[in-house]
């Protein structure tokens, strides 16, 4: 794969991996999280369009590895001085696993730290294409109940679990679970406890919590899609703190991270 379909590049990010990073957003995601703040990334790996400020705009541009490398290298000095690097996000990176692996190989060969964000929703063969070239995986854990996960977001937790364990066995990779805190979906006591149990079984000592926000809501208007989270309030600080403390009771350090 010489080209990847990219819908955004964000420089100077201090979330989504350590240090100062360039985030590259790959288009395409088979899931349907109702809270998704990048709905323009969803569905197929093909350009989409939306109407923004009265104009039709294309979402997603095919970019070669060399073009992306040129972009990434602009901030090489920041990666080296801050301990940062390059993070591939989405969408779901595994939709373009071959391109992602080939691109990260080149980034890593330049001595730059590499990370991906993933939901781990595809069979292992896709992750295998990336694993040799990635230093850190920010791995989303959302809804643990099998039936609910399939019904609400269209993911199979068994595949997620298998991928998570596969990555944990690779000692070269740092795996950091990320939990979006979404009222009415992920923050109920049962789901949080299921996530904690899953992490305790695997002796995981650190997670990132991503509190729900409404930043993506206008994008649904651009796309002409219904936004089901319109009336869902964000969590207040006390609620977020209570969830954080609950993780800490199980000796899991919970960092409040950037927002999903
Ligand atoms: S996995 Fe991420 S990109 Fe895909 S629908 Fe869910 S929130 Fe959106």
């Amino acid at each position: 794969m010489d080209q990847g379909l990219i819908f955004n590049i964000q420089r100077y990010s201090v979330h989504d991996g350590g240090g100062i990073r360039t985030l590259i957003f790959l288009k395409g995601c088979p899931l349907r999280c109702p809270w998704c703040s990048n709905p323009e990334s969803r569905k197929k790996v093909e350009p989409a369009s939306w109407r923004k400020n009265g104009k039709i705009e294309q979402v997603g541009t095919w970019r070669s590895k060399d073009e992306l490398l040129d972009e990434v290298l602009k901030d090489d000095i920041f990666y080296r001085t801050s301990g940062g690097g390059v993070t591939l996000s989405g969408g779901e990176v595994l939709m373009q696993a071959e391109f992602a692996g080939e691109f990260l190989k080149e980034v890593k060969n330049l001595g730059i730290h590499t990370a991906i964000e993933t939901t781990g929703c595809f069979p292992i063969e896709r992750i295998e294409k990336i694993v040799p070239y990635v230093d850190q995986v920010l791995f989303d854990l959302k809804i643990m109940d099998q039936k609910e996960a399939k019904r609400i977001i269209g993911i199979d937790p068994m595949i997620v679990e298998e991928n998570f364990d596969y990555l944990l066995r690779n000692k070269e990779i740092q795996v950091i679970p990320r939990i979006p805190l979404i009222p009415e979906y992920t923050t109920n006591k049962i789901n949080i406890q299921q996530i904690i149990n899953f992490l305790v079984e695997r002796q995981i000592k650190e997670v990132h919590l991503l509190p729900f926000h409404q930043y993506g809501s206008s994008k649904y208007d651009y796309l002409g899609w219904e936004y089901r989270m319109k009336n869902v309030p964000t969590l207040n600080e006390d609620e977020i703190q209570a969830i954080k403390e609950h993780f800490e009771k199980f000796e899991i350090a919970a960092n409040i991270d950037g927002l999903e």
Side-chain angles (χ1 to χ4, degrees):
M1 279 302 278
D2 287 336
Q3 293 193 314
L5 188 63
I6 309 302
F7 73 94
N8 194 13
I9 296 177
Q10 192 178 315
R11 294 167 68 188
Y12 313 120
S13 172
V14 290
H15 298 294
D16 307 280
I20 297 173
R21 312 191 69 84
T22 298
L23 304 188
I24 300 177
F25 294 82
L26 276 63
K27 190 174 176 320
C29 179
L31 305 189
R32 49 174 188 273
C33 310
W35 56 86
C36 180
S37 60
N38 288 323
E40 74 276 34
S41 71
R42 277 157 57 178
K43 302 189 177 171
K44 296 181 185 167
V45 183
E46 59 184 38
S49 61
W50 61 16
R51 179 180 285 276
K52 191 174 176 185
N53 304 324
K55 288 188 195 149
I56 303 285
E57 288 181 0
Q58 178 174 303
V59 180
T61 307
W62 290 102
R63 307 282 296 267
S64 70
K65 281 178 282 186
D66 287 346
E67 282 176 305
L68 289 178
L69 274 180
D70 286 346
E71 192 69 30
V72 156
L73 284 172
K74 288 177 188 168
D75 297 323
D76 193 25
I77 184 73
F78 296 116
Y79 311 144
R80 295 188 194 279
T81 51
S82 70
V86 172
T87 301
L88 297 188
S89 183
E92 170 49 62
V93 170
L94 299 180
M95 287 282 275
Q96 301 188 59
E98 201 167 320
F99 174 79
E102 289 175 11
F103 174 66
L104 290 180
K105 180 180 182 182
E106 300 204 15
V107 175
K108 198 167 163 65
N109 282 344
L110 292 168
I112 298 172
H113 183 270
T114 58
I116 64 167
E117 297 176 347
T118 184
T119 60
C121 64
F122 281 104
I124 274 175
E125 296 74 55
R126 293 211 190 191
I127 288 198
E128 283 174 338
K129 292 183 196 299
I130 298 176
V131 153
Y133 316 114
V134 73
D135 297 308
Q136 185 184 61
V137 176
L138 302 164
F139 198 110
D140 287 354
L141 296 175
K142 300 174 194 260
I143 298 175
M144 303 305 272
D145 180 84
Q146 190 132 4
K147 278 192 190 153
E148 287 297 279
K150 281 186 184 161
R151 182 180 72 81
I152 296 168
I153 59 178
I155 202 168
D156 181 348
M158 297 299 284
I159 292 182
V160 172
E161 195 170 311
E162 203 180 318
N163 284 325
F164 191 90
D165 289 341
Y166 167 75
L167 288 168
L168 280 189
R169 286 195 294 275
N170 188 325
K171 300 298 173 204
E172 307 278 302
I173 298 175
Q174 182 188 26
V175 181
I176 300 181
R178 301 193 318 165
I179 297 132
L181 300 181
I182 316 294
E184 299 178 16
Y185 289 100
T186 69
T187 55
N188 65 73
K189 281 190 179 155
I190 293 175
N191 192 54
I192 291 289
Q193 194 58 50
Q194 283 176 326
I195 291 173
I196 289 174
N197 295 347
F198 179 87
L199 298 173
V200 168
E201 267 175 37
R202 289 159 179 80
Q203 298 174 333
I204 302 286
K205 296 290 177 197
E206 179 189 1
V207 294
H208 291 189
L209 304 178
L210 291 80
F212 171 61
H213 60 77
Q214 292 280 7
Y215 300 159
S217 59
S218 56
K219 294 179 176 180
Y220 287 80
D221 292 335
Y222 303 156
L223 290 161
W225 293 1
E226 183 196 3
Y227 180 48
R228 285 155 52 196
M229 303 293 289
K230 195 178 280 178
N231 299 317
V232 176
T234 53
L235 297 171
N236 64 39
E237 277 192 26
D238 289 346
E239 289 169 318
I240 295 170
Q241 190 60 27
I243 296 172
K244 177 178 159 67
E245 285 171 10
H246 193 55
F247 275 90
E248 287 167 353
K249 269 188 218 153
F250 292 85
E251 298 182 2
I252 300 170
N255 303 308
I256 313 295
D257 206 353
L259 305 171
E260 194 184 45

